[in-house]
Amino acid sequence: MLQINPDLTDLVADASTGLFNRLQSKATITAAAPGRVNLIGEHIDYCDGFVMPFAIDRYIVIAGCANGTSQARITDHTFPEVVTLDLSQPQETGTPKWSNYLRGVIRGFQDRGHHVPGFDAFILSSVPGGAGLSSSAALECATATFLEGLLDTRLDTREKALLCQKAEHDFAHVPCGIMDQFASAFGKVNRLVLIDCQSGEPELVPFENPDFTVLISNTMVHHELSDGGYAARRKHTEDGLIVLRKPSWRDVTMDDVQNHWHELGNPVNRRARHVVSEIARTIGRAGGVIGARMTGGGFGGSTVTLCESRQASEIAATLSKEYQKATGITPQIFASRPSQGAHLVK
Ligand code: GLA
């Protein structure tokens, strides 16, 4: 019932083979960056709240090499096309859609004065796409890490995450907060990434106890943040703050929300209630399950269940059975411990 996470070493070897088969190139630089799951704090990273994601044991791997030209040739295991980018120019958005994550990150390096030389690259992923597990942040962070290898330079981790966030804003047109890119860039084995989104400071919190497991269940309901729903939701919170005349959501209390309920109007008042309660929220325990919820941006995607390890298989089986009964859909369920964030693979 529980899916096995593919081994990163195997992914790296397969990416290298893919590069050779598709582009006849030999990998000299390989970068890996993970997806993320969030335990608590949804839709409050752009409201100065606290969020607690971690990097999962599912990665996007980019294997490649310099090609001695001023062009990038990029291909992905799931798509047949080879995308060619002219690196002598500042990157702009283009097609196919997935290439925009790479274009946006390359542009971030170009804007910092880096001359990005020609390269060949092959992309391989074990992060399920459209599952709310931040495959886009993983692709951005893997690209940034790959470019660090190519340019033989290292960005400050925070700057790298912010560069990737800007790529998402400008090239994928999703006005996301900082959570996903921070989780993918700062993630560490056995550590949750607690982020104070007001100060922008991540704190690594130990999650080592083997008695606890995090189950991730992909509902198979495709999650899409670039269709306007996410942007509308973010706009509601900005409108709410104006009505409440507060500088930050961290200064808003539930009384403020109740006192302005009608003035805020629907749905801004409901968004306001969510933001304030989510910032303050604690979770309770029941029957092997310590807490369960949707994770990430919503609009489809995955759920996250913090549970006792000895009951993990049983809980996964029940989840799967009940979800199938209710919807007719078979979910994909796997467990993940906090894993290493974006890094170059030796
Ligand atoms: C998406 C965004 C994040 C965050 C979550 C919701 O994953 O990229 O910045 O807003 O949704 O918590």
Side-chain angles (χ1 to χ4, degrees):
M1 205 60 78
L2 276 177
Q3 286 192 349
I4 305 293
N5 297 327
D7 201 272
L8 181 55
T9 319
D10 294 340
L11 280 180
V12 168
D14 291 350
S16 188
T17 308
L19 178 74
F20 190 79
N21 290 345
R22 288 269 193 99
L23 300 175
Q24 288 72 54
S25 295
K26 211 166 161 306
T28 55
I29 303 156
T30 306
R36 67 94 191 92
V37 72
N38 186 24
L39 285 187
I40 193 155
E42 289 307 356
H43 286 280
I44 52 170
D45 58 346
Y46 50 78
C47 294
D48 289 347
F50 290 95
V51 295
M52 197 154 66
F54 66 84
I56 58 174
D57 192 9
R58 294 282 182 133
Y59 285 88
I60 288 188
V61 170
I62 303 183
C65 58
N67 65 14
T69 73
S70 59
Q71 290 193 331
R73 297 194 301 159
I74 306 164
T75 182
D76 178 293
H77 72 299
T78 44
F79 303 105
E81 69 265 26
V82 175
V83 176
T84 305
L85 306 179
D86 176 4
L87 299 170
S88 67
Q89 300 298 322
Q91 296 306 295
E92 301 293 344
T93 48
T95 53
K97 215 171 154 189
W98 61 263
S99 72
N100 282 320
Y101 300 105
L102 294 115
R103 292 173 196 263
V105 172
I106 295 171
R107 177 61 181 264
F109 276 77
Q110 291 177 324
D111 286 348
R112 280 166 179 74
H114 291 287
H115 166 72
V116 178
F119 64 88
D120 289 351
F122 181 87
I123 305 166
L124 183 60
S125 174
S126 66
V127 185
L133 299 174
S134 291
S135 55
S136 57
L139 181 52
E140 290 149 8
C141 289
T143 304
T145 306
F146 178 81
L147 293 180
E148 287 179 315
L150 184 71
L151 293 163
D152 198 17
T153 187
R154 295 292 175 273
L155 300 182
D156 167 69
T157 309
R158 189 186 151 92
E159 190 187 347
K160 177 156 96 173
L162 293 173
L163 182 158
C164 291
Q165 182 199 24
K166 188 165 177 357
E168 179 95 26
H169 287 181
D170 297 348
F171 283 70
H173 307 300
V174 176
C176 63
I178 60 174
M179 174 167 81
D180 306 345
Q181 291 80 10
F182 266 51
S184 184
F186 281 100
K188 287 271 173 301
V189 173
N190 286 341
R191 295 288 180 274
L192 307 175
V193 186
L194 172 64
I195 312 165
D196 177 341
C197 302
Q198 190 172 43
S199 67
E201 284 305 322
E203 184 190 331
L204 296 173
V205 177
F207 182 94
E208 289 174 327
N209 190 336
D211 293 345
F212 297 107
T213 295
V214 176
L215 292 177
I216 299 162
S217 313
N218 178 2
T219 62
M220 309 302 281
V221 176
H222 192 81
H223 148 102
E224 178 63 75
L225 292 187
S226 56
D227 62 3
Y230 181 92
R233 189 170 175 127
R234 180 169 184 164
K235 175 80 172 47
H236 292 152
T237 66
E238 288 163 3
D239 294 347
L241 214 50
I242 293 171
V243 173
L244 295 167
R245 289 182 210 85
K246 295 280 186 182
S248 164
W249 280 103
R250 289 278 276 282
D251 304 312
V252 180
T253 64
M254 201 51 105
D255 280 349
D256 295 330
V257 176
Q258 296 301 349
N259 294 339
H260 294 82
W261 190 258
H262 293 293
E263 205 188 328
L264 286 164
N266 191 16
V268 176
N269 48 18
R270 290 186 293 116
R271 300 283 180 264
R273 184 176 55 198
H274 167 78
V275 171
V276 175
S277 58
E278 184 77 348
I279 289 179
R281 200 157 105 113
T282 55
I283 43 182
R285 176 186 290 232
V289 174
I290 297 153
R293 58 178 306 161
M294 282 301 296
T295 192
F299 308 103
S302 299
T303 67
V304 59
T305 306
L306 180 62
C307 65
E308 290 179 27
S309 301
R310 58 192 169 81
Q311 279 171 278
S313 300
E314 200 186 315
I315 292 167
T318 309
L319 250 176
S320 185
K321 193 169 116 219
E322 293 300 323
Y323 185 69
Q324 249 167 16
K325 206 164 34 170
T327 64
I329 302 170
T330 308
Q332 284 177 343
I333 307 181
F334 60 97
S336 179
R337 300 204 71 79
S339 304
Q340 181 61 34
H343 61 284
L344 283 169
V345 182
K346 294 281 171 302

